[in-house]
Amino acid sequence: GENVEQHPSTLSVQEGDSAVIKCTYSDSASNYFPWYKQELGKGPQLIIDIRSNVGEKKDQRIAVTLNKTAKHFSLHITETQPEDSAVYFCAAPDPTTDSWGKLQFGAGTQVVVTP
Amino acid sequence: DAGVTQSPTHLIKTRGQHVTLRCSPISGHKSVSWYQQVLGQGPQFIFQYYEKEERGRGNFPDRFSARQFPNYSSELNVNALLLGDSALYLCASSLEVVGGALDTGELFFGEGSRLTVL
C-alpha cells in the first residue's frame, strides 16, 4: 500500500511569513494528493488538492506543488495569519485497492502563527 | 446544505463494552468511509461502504464492523472495547467515483465522535 511521510511535525512562523510543509509518497501510481486542515476539536477540512496531470495549483494564499519524478508534494501558505494555526495533513490514495474512500494520511504538521 | 453529521459527539465506555457510532452523509453522497484518529496522529482508514456494500477495509481487527443503510447513512460498531480504542472516529462521505481509487474524489469529513475507553 501507499506510505506517506510528512515534515516537519511542528512549524512556528511569524504572522506575514510563509510556511512550507513537505510530503513524500511511495507508490508511483498515486495520482491524487489532497491537503487537509484540522482545527482543534473539529474534523479535517479539505483546503486544496492536486492531480498528477499538473505540477502546481494555487488558491489565494495557498498553493500545492507536485514533483512526480521525486514523488513528493508540498503545501505553501503565504502571508500567514493567526487563523492559519492548525494541524495540516497531506494524503494520498492507496492505488492497490479500488476503494476510492481510502486515503493514507501523513502524521500531520502543527502550524503555529504568532502575531 | 448540511454537511456530514455524526453522533454522538462524545462518549465514555469501559473496557469490554460495545459502542455504536452513527453517520449521515451529505445529501446525494452514496459513499461513506470511516477513519480512526488517535491523538497526535493522522486518520487511519477503517472501512468504506458504497451502495450498502463494503468496498474497502483497513488493518483493523474483526471487533470493528460497519454497515450502510438504504438512505446511505452508516453505523460503525466496535465490540469488546480496549483502552487502545480511545480515539476520534471520523466519518467521510463522497460522491460515486468511476474508475476506482485512481479517480479518487474529495472526501468530506464530519466533526467526529470522541470515544474514551476507561
Side-chain angles (χ1 to χ4, degrees):
Chain A
E2 179 66 272
N3 183 46
V4 177
E5 294 189 357
Q6 182 172 348
H7 301 280
S9 57
T10 59
L11 182 58
S12 294
V13 296
Q14 287 286 112
E15 182 177 358
D17 288 348
S18 295
V20 180
I21 305 170
K22 299 181 179 180
C23 287
T24 61
Y25 60 98
S26 60
D27 197 318
S28 57
S30 292
N31 66 351
Y32 173 70
F33 306 95
W35 285 90
Y36 286 84
K37 175 183 181 182
Q38 188 173 26
E39 297 177 338
L40 195 62
K42 296 190 175 183
Q45 179 186 12
L46 180 74
I47 55 172
I48 195 167
D49 57 15
I50 190 169
R51 295 186 186 273
S52 60
N53 56 345
V54 297
E56 183 176 6
K57 183 177 178 180
K58 290 183 179 180
D59 183 3
Q60 299 182 347
R61 297 186 297 107
I62 294 174
V64 57
T65 58
L66 172 64
N67 184 326
K68 287 217 72 180
T69 302
K71 291 190 286 187
H72 66 71
F73 56 112
S74 299
L75 177 71
H76 304 253
I77 307 173
T78 59
E79 301 174 15
T80 54
Q81 301 169 5
E83 53 264 37
D84 294 328
S85 295
V87 180
Y88 292 81
F89 293 97
C90 62
D94 184 348
T96 63
T97 172
D98 64 356
S99 171
W100 67 86
K102 181 178 181 181
L103 290 178
Q104 184 68 42
F105 282 82
T109 297
Q110 174 74 62
V111 174
V112 177
V113 181
T114 53
Chain B
D1 288 339
V4 176
T5 57
Q6 293 187 241
S7 64
T9 56
H10 296 81
L11 68 165
I12 299 173
K13 294 285 188 178
T14 57
R15 283 176 295 176
Q17 285 189 313
H18 161 271
V19 68
T20 297
L21 308 177
R22 297 177 175 82
C23 171
S24 293
I26 292 172
S27 178
H29 287 192
K30 300 180 180 180
S31 172
V32 169
S33 298
W34 286 95
Y35 286 79
Q36 181 196 65
Q37 186 176 24
V38 174
L39 194 62
Q41 298 181 18
Q44 295 289 320
F45 175 77
I46 308 175
F47 287 110
Q48 182 192 8
Y49 274 77
Y50 173 68
E51 290 282 16
K52 295 171 288 181
E53 291 189 0
E54 182 181 305
R55 292 300 302 267
R57 185 186 183 105
N59 188 24
F60 281 82
D62 292 343
R63 299 184 296 107
F64 289 76
S65 64
R67 56 178 175 168
Q68 187 176 34
F69 299 99
N71 66 353
Y72 304 111
S73 67
S74 178
E75 284 183 354
L76 175 69
N77 296 282
V78 186
N79 293 323
L81 285 168
L82 303 174
L83 296 179
D85 295 331
S86 295
L88 180 67
Y89 288 85
L90 296 162
C91 172
S93 76
S94 61
L95 291 167
E96 173 184 4
V97 175
V98 177
L102 295 183
D103 294 316
T104 301
E106 180 177 354
L107 293 187
F108 295 85
F109 282 88
E111 303 287 38
S113 294
R114 172 76 61 188
L115 171 64
T116 301
V117 182
L118 302 177

